[in-house]
Amino acid sequence: MKKLLGLALITAVLLSGCGEVQISINKDQEVEAETGSTKKEKVDLISDESENEKMKEADKQKAILQFINEDIYKVAEYEVVAFQSLASVSGVNYTDDQTVYRELTTITIPAYEKALNEAQGIEAGIPELEEMADRVVTATQTFYDALILEKKAIEDQDEGLINESNAKMEEYYKLVDAYHSDMELLAEEYNVTYDLNEPKQNVEEL
């Protein structure tokens, strides 16, 4: 039976950086408006209209932060468990099919089922996030399908199914890369820094 390929080097976790975004500009102004601070006089009607526009943008910024820092983070927690489980019996850690099968059925697949359920339960919050939410579901479903194919391949000792599983995993990585690229563009549009290396910032802190 062919060994699982490349799984010890998994790095493209969907949420490997999920929640690690922050507001890059206008943060102080937004917080000031929300706390009712009167440091700056706001008497003008034109000024009020401008504040309303800022508030709309602030709401969208918060929706984006919640999507990544909270909704996607929940998916990521289960994804990480599944990926670590799979990597522990794959690639250089592979010993035999029975060990892989046991890990898949007891830890990897159950953990990833939870990730998929969390992804399917995400509510976008704003129209701009609807497509991103759909893409998260598509990506997680793709990886879940790869795991089920892997399980079936071991049961049937079918090398062709292993190849199908590996192809699904490659598809997943491409979906993840595209997701991160487009999420970065969306975040930039609303003045949110999508930096996978920055510490997570809680929405309530804004």
Side-chain angles (χ1 to χ4, degrees):
M1 190 64 173
K2 193 175 180 181
K3 292 183 183 181
L4 305 186
L5 299 178
L7 297 180
L9 299 175
I10 290 174
T11 56
V13 179
L14 179 61
L15 306 171
S16 62
C18 122
E20 298 174 355
V21 293
Q22 58 188 341
I23 294 293
S24 58
I25 63 173
N26 293 331
K27 179 179 174 184
D28 292 338
Q29 292 91 326
E30 287 151 17
V31 173
E32 181 181 322
E34 287 167 20
T35 55
S37 172
T38 54
K39 281 184 183 175
K40 190 165 149 188
E41 292 184 6
K42 300 176 194 169
V43 185
D44 236 4
L45 288 177
I46 298 175
S47 186
D48 286 341
E49 183 179 348
S50 173
E51 281 302 316
N52 285 337
E53 287 176 4
K54 282 182 183 176
M55 286 305 296
K56 284 178 186 175
E57 180 171 321
D59 290 341
K60 290 194 175 185
Q61 286 176 327
K62 285 194 171 185
I64 292 169
L65 285 169
Q66 179 172 331
F67 179 78
I68 301 167
N69 290 359
E70 296 178 12
D71 299 332
I72 298 297
Y73 186 75
K74 290 175 184 175
V75 184
E77 287 183 311
Y78 294 118
E79 265 205 332
V80 168
V81 172
F83 275 42
Q84 289 176 344
S85 166
L86 189 56
S88 73
V89 293
S90 308
V92 295
N93 295 318
Y94 175 86
T95 54
D96 55 69
D97 289 349
Q98 291 73 24
T99 302
V100 175
Y101 187 82
R102 185 166 55 250
E103 190 73 20
L104 277 173
T105 55
T106 61
I107 298 178
T108 313
I109 290 175
Y112 211 86
E113 280 175 349
K114 292 177 182 177
L116 180 57
N117 287 337
E118 288 289 348
Q120 290 170 336
I122 291 174
E123 294 183 8
I126 57 174
E128 290 87 344
L129 286 171
E130 286 174 6
E131 182 185 348
M132 303 310 293
D134 288 342
R135 289 167 71 175
V136 168
V137 173
T138 300
T140 50
Q141 181 68 60
T142 299
F143 198 86
Y144 180 74
D145 291 345
L147 294 176
I148 297 303
L149 281 168
E150 197 70 56
K151 174 177 173 285
K152 181 70 172 165
I154 295 172
E155 290 171 345
D156 296 351
Q157 290 294 288
D158 187 334
E159 209 166 296
L161 289 178
I162 288 183
N163 292 332
E164 287 183 38
S165 175
N166 286 335
K168 280 280 184 185
M169 290 181 186
E170 287 300 319
E171 182 185 348
Y172 165 84
Y173 297 144
K174 289 175 184 176
L175 289 168
V176 167
D177 287 342
Y179 163 81
H180 281 309
S181 295
D182 290 344
M183 195 68 230
E184 186 175 358
L185 290 174
L186 178 63
E188 184 179 348
E189 183 180 346
Y190 290 98
N191 299 317
V192 173
T193 301
Y194 189 67
D195 189 341
L196 304 183
N197 298 312
E198 288 294 320
K200 178 179 174 183
Q201 180 177 10
N202 199 304
V203 178
E204 281 75 24
E205 293 174 1
L206 302 177

